[in-house]
Amino acid sequence: MKSAVGSVKNNTLSLLFSDFKEITKAKLAISVVFSSIAGYFLGAYQIDVVSLLLLMFGGYCMVGASNAYNQIIEKDLDALMKRTKNRPIPSGRMSVKTALAVAVVLTVLGVLALFALSPKTAMFGAISIFLYTSVYTPLKTKSPLSVFVGAFPGAIPFMLGWVAATDDFGIEPGTLFMIQFFWQFPHFWALGWMLDEDYKQAGFKMLPTGKKDKGTAMQIILYTIWMIVISIIPVFGFTGRLHLSIPAAAIVLLSGLVMLFFAFKLYENRDNPSARKLMLASVTYISLIQVVYVIDKFIN
């Protein structure tokens, strides 16, 4: 009997943990935290473990809160899409009140953790939540410009790490912001291409032309080119303490050209498999160049 009760408790805890991961979009949150850590390493004169832990904890809380608010606002729309109908709220596993409590607690904890690093860090974290939940989320059903608006909070994490390490905002974190800002367009439009039919079920307008056509594919190509240009600018010495060696810039450039190749393949084929390859290439690209930037700093 005790064993059965213990088993039920374990299963319940497992389900609660699983729903917490889903309401906060744990995989996405961890990838965002990874970007913040990379920015911190780039900006830090020396690594402070406590500061790094605060950044990781605060960053996860802020992203998790944004995702929870998003799922509360879009609960009825999520129920219309195959991809999201089994999320905790539309499936009925979590009430709106519980999700809101999770979001509020994460917001408070996140702001406090980032404020302990510096007021500027907390400010940018708070701006990210506000833009994501109050502007980007409601705009998704109104206009494709939602992707442009969403690129602002999405570009903050890489920059946030530098600000957390230095308590300063200048050309260096601004460059990191621009890299991740331009990267988001090919990434999210590739994702939007793949999920276009599902998105339309909920009335989301994610593609720039509203269709999976050459116009959308061409915009993906153009933003990918801008992303590549911004990513290699530090090699020219215009970006303060943020710089790249020639070998590192070559790796970044080559990685960008691989992504551009998949963007051209999407323009040529205009199909979901090509969009998926581009999306996966974009995920690889942003993670790889962040690692390259950090390694290059410490070996040069």
Side-chain angles (χ1 to χ4, degrees), residues 138-300:
L139 197 59
K140 287 163 69 177
T141 58
K142 302 291 190 297
S143 169
L145 283 172
S146 61
V147 175
F148 175 77
V149 174
F152 283 89
I156 286 176
F158 200 13
M159 171 200 80
L160 191 72
W162 185 291
V163 176
T166 64
D167 192 27
D168 181 53
F169 181 83
I171 186 65
E172 299 93 345
T175 303
L176 299 180
F177 176 90
M178 294 303 293
I179 291 171
Q180 200 148 356
F181 179 81
F182 282 105
W183 166 82
Q184 287 179 91
F185 293 94
H187 173 72
F188 281 107
W189 282 336
L191 186 62
W193 189 297
M194 291 165 51
L195 301 173
D196 186 55
E197 290 77 14
D198 210 20
Y199 278 143
K200 284 179 177 176
Q201 294 295 319
F204 290 150
K205 300 175 181 179
M206 305 302 288
L207 297 178
T209 67
K211 293 179 286 187
K212 301 196 291 187
D213 59 8
K214 283 190 174 182
T216 288
M218 178 54 68
Q219 290 202 46
I220 289 173
I221 289 171
L222 293 174
Y223 276 94
T224 302
I225 291 171
W226 274 112
M227 176 202 73
I228 294 170
V229 171
I230 297 297
S231 295
I232 62 172
I233 274 182
V235 76
F236 299 107
F238 302 145
T239 52
R241 288 203 299 122
L242 180 67
H243 55 81
L244 276 178
S245 65
I246 292 177
I251 294 172
V252 171
L253 176 60
L254 180 60
S255 302
L257 292 176
V258 169
M259 189 170 157
L260 185 61
F261 167 79
F262 286 112
F264 274 108
K265 294 300 289 184
L266 178 60
Y267 180 85
E268 178 185 347
N269 299 323
R270 298 191 299 283
D271 58 9
N272 284 356
S274 298
R276 178 174 174 78
K277 289 175 182 177
L278 173 59
M279 189 273 293
L280 293 174
S282 70
V283 172
T284 302
Y285 175 83
I286 197 65
S287 299
L288 176 62
I289 70 160
Q290 287 169 350
V291 171
V292 169
Y293 264 73
V294 172
I295 292 176
D296 190 55
K297 173 191 173 179
F298 286 100
I299 65 175
N300 287 295

Side-chain angles (χ1 to χ4, degrees), residues 58-214:
Y60 188 98
C61 286
M62 299 300 265
V63 179
S66 296
N67 290 325
Y69 287 127
N70 173 266
Q71 291 183 50
I72 292 168
I73 296 167
E74 294 181 348
K75 64 183 188 304
D76 296 329
L77 300 179
D78 280 348
L80 301 175
M81 297 186 290
K82 292 179 182 178
R83 184 177 65 92
T84 55
K85 66 182 181 180
N86 289 319
R87 283 177 173 174
I89 300 175
S91 68
R93 297 194 310 273
M94 183 180 292
S95 69
V96 171
K97 286 184 178 180
T98 300
L100 184 59
V102 170
V104 170
V105 169
L106 289 176
T107 302
V108 173
L109 291 176
V111 169
L112 289 174
L114 296 182
F115 189 82
L117 288 168
S118 77
K120 285 180 185 174
T121 309
M123 179 190 70
F124 282 120
I127 289 172
S128 177
I129 287 185
F130 174 78
L131 289 176
Y132 190 85
T133 60
S134 300
V135 186
Y136 165 69
T137 295
L139 197 59
K140 287 163 69 177
T141 58
K142 302 291 190 297
S143 169
L145 283 172
S146 61
V147 175
F148 175 77
V149 174
F152 283 89
I156 286 176
F158 200 13
M159 171 200 80
L160 191 72
W162 185 291
V163 176
T166 64
D167 192 27
D168 181 53
F169 181 83
I171 186 65
E172 299 93 345
T175 303
L176 299 180
F177 176 90
M178 294 303 293
I179 291 171
Q180 200 148 356
F181 179 81
F182 282 105
W183 166 82
Q184 287 179 91
F185 293 94
H187 173 72
F188 281 107
W189 282 336
L191 186 62
W193 189 297
M194 291 165 51
L195 301 173
D196 186 55
E197 290 77 14
D198 210 20
Y199 278 143
K200 284 179 177 176
Q201 294 295 319
F204 290 150
K205 300 175 181 179
M206 305 302 288
L207 297 178
T209 67
K211 293 179 286 187
K212 301 196 291 187
D213 59 8
K214 283 190 174 182

